[in-house]
Amino acid sequence: MNLGRIRHMPVVDDGRVIGILSQRDLFRSALLTALGFGRKTTTALIKTIKIKEVMTEDVITIAPETTIKDAARTMIDKKIGCLPVVENEKLIGLLTETDMLRTSWNCETKFRYS
């Protein structure tokens, strides 16, 4: 996640979304694990944390036909940074806050300069 500047990773099982892992999940887990330990011990403990122990399991998803407006409203209402896009129970994409900003920037740029 750090190397690729990725903030969210869907967790899938046979193509179905079973969870979502965020940097916040990892940070919270690492913080709880690290409290009171030295750096070497903390690093060793973090390596033992399993994704299924820290991922969010109640994942809110959207369909590919969902409008950007509706997706943005869901993200704001639920205070989440991404929405897995699911079709026929299979993950086909991930819509992020960055995608939303990029879309609004492109719309503004086209409107202003066309």
Side-chain angles (χ1 to χ4, degrees), residues 6-90:
I6 298 169
R7 292 181 28 213
H8 306 93
M9 295 180 107
V11 181
V12 296
D13 183 14
D14 195 29
R16 287 182 10 141
V17 178
I18 61 167
I20 192 112
L21 182 67
S22 70
Q23 280 183 325
R24 186 177 295 160
D25 295 330
L26 292 175
F27 177 74
R28 185 175 25 249
S29 175
L31 180 63
L32 292 175
T33 302
L35 287 175
F37 297 106
R39 185 165 194 235
K40 199 173 196 178
T41 304
T42 300
T43 301
L45 285 171
I46 289 171
K47 289 180 180 179
T48 66
I49 298 170
K50 293 181 172 83
I51 290 173
K52 67 181 179 180
E53 295 170 351
V54 296
M55 71 180 187
T56 300
E57 293 183 66
D58 296 325
V59 182
I60 298 166
T61 64
I62 58 171
E65 300 82 23
T66 304
T67 65
I68 293 294
K69 181 179 179 180
D70 288 343
R73 174 57 47 208
T74 299
M75 291 170 80
I76 291 167
D77 290 348
K78 301 296 183 180
K79 297 180 180 159
I80 54 177
C82 75
L83 286 166
V85 182
V86 175
E87 185 172 52
N88 298 324
E89 297 188 19
K90 300 285 183 181

